[in-house]
Amino acid sequence: MAGSGINETPGFIAVETGDDNGLPLAIAWTLPDGRIKHTLIQPDDDWLENEMVSLGGYSLEELNSIGVSPLDVIRELENDHFSETLYTAGVSDDEAAISRIFDTYGLDPFVELAPAESLYRDLGPGDWARARGDLFSEMGLEPLRPEHEVEVMLYLHQRLVPGGEAHEATPFDGRLMEGDDLED
């Protein structure tokens, strides 16, 4: 299981949602080797029933042309993290977004989400959140972008776990599926 050994990279995940109703717009997660997989998500037609649905800073055309289907997100997540615990900075928001993706197909999520700060029992209350905020500033990244959120959690983990193996975070560009269908 990810995160069970001191030198293993835990699975980190983040989902970007629209303001009003938790519409999943983009998702990112770490791979066991420390790379980051990310993509935009094509909204399901049922998600768009409300005229006032918030697409964040994206257009519907952009999400449909660049994003992948929610089913492809599920398949990729299953290939990378089936029955694992993934760590997030915003459990309830990410949990709601993940549930919405799975509910679209009548499926139960096969991943469990836990707060990333729970990995670091020696930290005092609020220390992880402060360190995370400082790292966003230091790295010049945006907290609302899921690939940036995951990258910050990954680098913060490397700083907080003595003897942890440092991996370079290399975000995938484009779709989830590109270059990842090869069998090992």
Side-chain angles (χ1 to χ4, degrees):
M1 179 186 311
S4 58
I6 193 160
N7 288 330
E8 281 188 37
T9 301
F12 294 109
I13 191 167
V15 183
E16 180 181 354
T17 59
D19 299 331
D20 303 330
N21 59 359
L23 180 74
L25 301 172
I27 191 167
W29 62 79
T30 55
L31 297 171
D33 65 3
R35 290 180 300 152
I36 298 170
K37 187 177 279 193
H38 65 92
T39 191
L40 295 179
I41 301 170
Q42 295 170 351
D44 186 82
D45 290 339
D46 291 342
W47 299 355
L48 301 173
E49 289 177 357
N50 182 350
E51 291 177 19
M52 301 299 288
V53 71
S54 172
L55 299 178
Y58 303 103
S59 69
L60 186 56
E61 180 180 323
E62 183 179 23
L63 292 173
N64 283 326
S65 65
I66 300 173
V68 300
S69 75
L71 187 56
D72 284 339
V73 170
I74 292 170
R75 287 178 180 148
E76 285 293 306
L77 190 57
E78 180 179 35
N79 286 335
D80 296 338
H81 292 293
F82 184 75
S83 290
E84 292 183 16
T85 298
L86 299 177
Y87 297 91
T88 177
V91 175
S92 62
D93 293 340
D94 287 345
E95 219 164 39
I98 295 284
S99 289
R100 189 169 197 170
I101 292 169
F102 279 81
D103 286 349
T104 300
Y105 302 99
L107 301 172
D108 291 327
F110 47 73
V111 293
E112 182 179 332
L113 300 185
E117 60 195 44
S118 69
L119 290 166
Y120 316 103
R121 290 173 179 48
D122 294 340
L123 291 181
D127 287 349
W128 184 84
R130 276 189 294 281
R132 176 179 158 268
D134 292 346
L135 197 51
F136 268 110
S137 294
E138 180 183 317
M139 296 175 76
L141 299 176
E142 299 174 37
L144 298 178
R145 294 187 57 187
E147 66 273 19
H148 290 183
E149 182 70 59
V150 169
E151 187 173 354
V152 165
M153 287 188 287
L154 179 64
Y155 281 120
L156 187 55
H157 177 74
Q158 292 166 356
R159 286 184 179 181
L160 294 173
V161 176
E165 192 175 325
H167 296 286
E168 183 176 329
T170 309
F172 283 75
D173 292 322
R175 298 174 169 264
L176 279 172
M177 304 299 284
E178 289 181 358
D180 292 323
D181 289 346
L182 302 174
E183 295 294 322
D184 290 89

